């Protein structure tokens, strides 16, 4: 081969090798840049005050930020391939898996609150989680990403506020607002299924005299005592509430007139025979009695208010015939 042709071939080969080296170097730099970028993203995610994680289509962990790893007590390598079974109680696993499958099946973002019972500290933790599907460049589903934040304090505060809004602070019973809600629900149910429903309104006799003679502290004790006596005699399905100053109400699902009257008599006798323990001698306080009005659901009722009105009228009848009595509407 002529020297000129050989020289030309060598030059071409050198150029080709140079181009390959340049391309490899460029690709290497791109890969390195991508790795640096990923590391940078991971560092950012590790500083976020939320639990961030990625799962594959089989609900197995692929990645988690440092906060999540610390919560699980594992490293990044130990995390890969594990599932929620490795970290959460059975009840929580069912809820978490249900949400994972929902995201993957519907390919939609969801948000939910999850309560997790503490294994070691015994304290329940509440998390607000947001999960959404992940897709590759071709649009194929590859898994999901989740972001969870702990809202235990907010949840407890909300529960306390709801409790305050729905209960009577002196007795711990339901207040009128809650009682009305329960009553409307039970009224609709009883009418729909043709089941008996009874109601009793209870009033402490001559309560003003107790307050005027012995003071409001003793009056409060009397109210708490009546609440306790009533609570001792009712079923779990019954609804006991303090609906006024010295007035109580008991809603009795699946209870006919005769059964309601018998319960009312037991309550009246139990309260009449009760004596205050502790610092008060038996003769120091007056005998505290109660009057009770009872009504039962009628097919002619158009609303729970009509049933409540009949119980109120029955209560006034009990008062008018000398108190310490039960009257049925």
């Amino acid at each position: 081969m002529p020297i000129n042709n050989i020289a030309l071939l060598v030059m071409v080969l050198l150029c080709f090798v140079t181009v390959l080296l340049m391309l490899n170097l460029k690709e290497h730099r791109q890969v390195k840049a991508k790795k640096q970028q990923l590391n940078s993203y991971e560092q950012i995610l590790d500083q976020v005050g939320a639990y961030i994680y990625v799962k594959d289509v089989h609900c197995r962990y692929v990645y988690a930020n440092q906060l999540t790893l610390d919560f699980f007590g594992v490293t990044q390598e130990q995390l890969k391939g594990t599932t929620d079974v490795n970290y959460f109680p059975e009840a929580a696993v069912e809820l978490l898996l249900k949400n994972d499958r929902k995201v993957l099946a519907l390919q939609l973002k969801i948000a939910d609150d999850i309560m997790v019972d503490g294994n070691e500290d015994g304290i329940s933790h509440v998390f607000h989680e947001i999960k959404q599907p992940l897709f590759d460049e071709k649009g194929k589903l590859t898994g999901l990403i989740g972001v969870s934040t702990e809202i235990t304090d907010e949840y407890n505060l909300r529960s306390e506020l709801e409790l305050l809004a729905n209960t009577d602070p002196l007795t711990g019973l339901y207040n009128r607002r809650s009682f009305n809600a329960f009553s409307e629900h039970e009224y609709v149910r009883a009418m729909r299924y043709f089941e008996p429903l009874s109601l009793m309104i209870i009033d402490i006799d001559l309560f003003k005299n107790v307050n005027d003679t012995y003071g409001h502290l003793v009056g409060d004790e009397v109210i708490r005592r009546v609440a306790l006596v009533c609570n001792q005699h009712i079923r779990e399905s019954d609804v006991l509430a303090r609906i006024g100053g010295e007035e109580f109400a008991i809603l009795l699902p699946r209870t006919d007139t005769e059964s309601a009257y018998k319960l009312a008599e037991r309550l009246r006798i139990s309260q009449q025979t009760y004596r205050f323990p502790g610092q008060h001698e038996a003769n120091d306080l007056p005998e505290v009695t109660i009057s009770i009005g009872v009504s039962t659901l009628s097919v002619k009722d158009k609303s729970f208010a009509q049933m409540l009105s009949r119980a109120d009228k029955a209560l006034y009848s009990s008062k008018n015939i000398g108190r310490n009595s039960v009257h049925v509407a």
Side-chain angles (χ1 to χ4, degrees):
M1 181 181 292
I3 296 177
N4 289 340
N5 290 340
I6 294 175
L8 181 60
L9 181 59
V10 170
M11 289 180 62
V12 172
L13 289 173
L14 287 174
C15 290
F16 182 70
V17 171
T18 302
V19 171
L20 285 177
L21 289 173
M22 291 178 65
L23 289 174
N24 287 336
L25 180 61
K26 184 179 180 181
E27 184 178 354
H28 176 73
R29 286 175 177 172
Q30 289 177 341
V31 171
K32 184 178 180 181
K34 287 183 178 180
K35 286 184 177 180
Q36 290 176 343
Q37 190 177 37
L38 287 174
N39 289 335
S40 177
Y41 288 152
E42 288 183 4
Q43 290 176 4
I44 293 173
L45 293 177
D46 286 342
Q47 298 179 55
V48 176
Y51 302 92
I52 303 173
Y53 48 89
V54 176
K55 296 180 180 179
D56 62 19
V57 292
H58 301 293
C59 304
R60 296 175 302 203
Y61 282 99
V62 176
Y63 163 82
N65 68 342
Q66 193 59 49
L67 187 65
T68 306
L69 295 175
D70 292 341
F71 184 78
F72 290 163
V74 297
T75 64
Q76 197 73 251
E77 289 302 317
Q78 292 172 333
L79 173 83
K80 292 179 180 178
T82 61
T83 67
D84 288 322
V85 174
N86 299 96
Y87 310 112
F88 296 104
E90 183 178 352
V93 170
E94 291 180 4
L95 292 173
L96 294 168
L97 186 58
K98 178 182 177 182
N99 285 346
D100 286 353
R101 289 173 174 169
K102 186 176 181 181
V103 171
L104 296 172
L106 301 179
Q107 298 184 13
L108 295 173
K109 181 174 74 172
I110 67 167
D112 196 12
D113 292 342
I114 300 293
M115 179 175 289
V116 179
D117 293 328
N119 289 328
E120 296 181 0
D121 56 14
I123 301 174
S124 295
H125 299 268
V126 183
F127 298 90
H128 179 70
E129 64 170 16
I130 300 174
K131 295 178 178 180
Q132 67 179 49
L134 287 177
F135 304 92
D136 62 15
E137 296 176 352
K138 297 180 179 180
K140 181 181 178 182
L141 181 68
T142 60
L144 64 86
I145 182 171
V147 179
S148 299
T149 53
E150 183 164 1
I151 58 168
T152 305
D153 292 339
E154 293 86 344
Y155 179 85
N156 291 337
L157 177 60
R158 186 171 61 196
S159 298
E160 290 176 8
L161 291 175
E162 289 178 355
L163 184 65
L164 289 174
N166 293 294
T167 59
D168 168 52
L170 179 62
T171 62
L173 301 178
Y174 291 116
N175 58 19
R176 178 179 284 274
R177 172 185 171 183
S178 296
F179 183 76
N180 288 341
F182 279 116
S183 300
E184 291 296 338
H185 174 78
E186 285 298 328
Y187 167 79
V188 172
R189 187 196 59 76
M191 291 293 283
R192 178 181 300 166
Y193 296 107
F194 304 100
E195 293 181 347
L197 176 67
S198 292
L199 168 70
M200 62 176 71
I201 305 296
I202 303 167
D203 188 78
I204 302 174
D205 295 328
L206 302 174
F207 182 71
K208 186 177 184 300
N209 292 346
V210 174
N211 273 338
D212 291 344
T213 305
Y214 301 97
H216 289 282
L217 290 179
V218 173
D220 288 347
E221 179 61 23
V222 169
I223 290 174
R224 282 193 290 265
R225 255 308 137 187
V226 172
L228 180 61
V229 169
C230 290
N231 210 24
Q232 289 174 339
H233 288 80
I234 63 175
R235 305 164 300 179
E236 188 174 346
S237 59
D238 300 333
V239 181
L240 170 63
R242 182 187 178 197
I243 58 175
E246 66 270 25
E247 197 169 68
F248 300 83
I250 304 178
L251 190 68
L252 304 164
R254 300 182 180 88
T255 304
D256 58 21
T257 304
E258 182 180 359
S259 298
Y261 175 77
K262 289 180 179 179
L263 174 60
E265 275 295 319
R266 288 199 300 272
L267 293 179
R268 183 188 67 78
I269 294 171
S270 296
Q271 182 57 50
Q272 183 181 18
T273 57
Y274 174 81
R275 292 294 179 268
F276 284 85
Q279 60 181 344
H280 302 292
E281 296 294 334
N283 297 326
D284 286 346
L285 291 176
E287 179 183 273
V288 177
T289 61
I290 56 177
S291 296
I292 304 174
V294 178
S295 68
T296 302
L297 181 65
S298 168
V299 292
K300 297 180 180 180
D301 286 335
K302 301 299 182 182
S303 67
F304 177 76
Q306 292 181 308
M307 185 176 169
L308 180 63
S309 177
R310 291 200 305 277
D312 268 330
K313 291 178 180 178
L315 173 64
Y316 286 122
S317 296
S318 296
K319 292 284 190 182
N320 291 334
I321 62 175
R323 303 181 182 88
N324 190 24
S325 61
V326 175
H327 192 85
V328 177

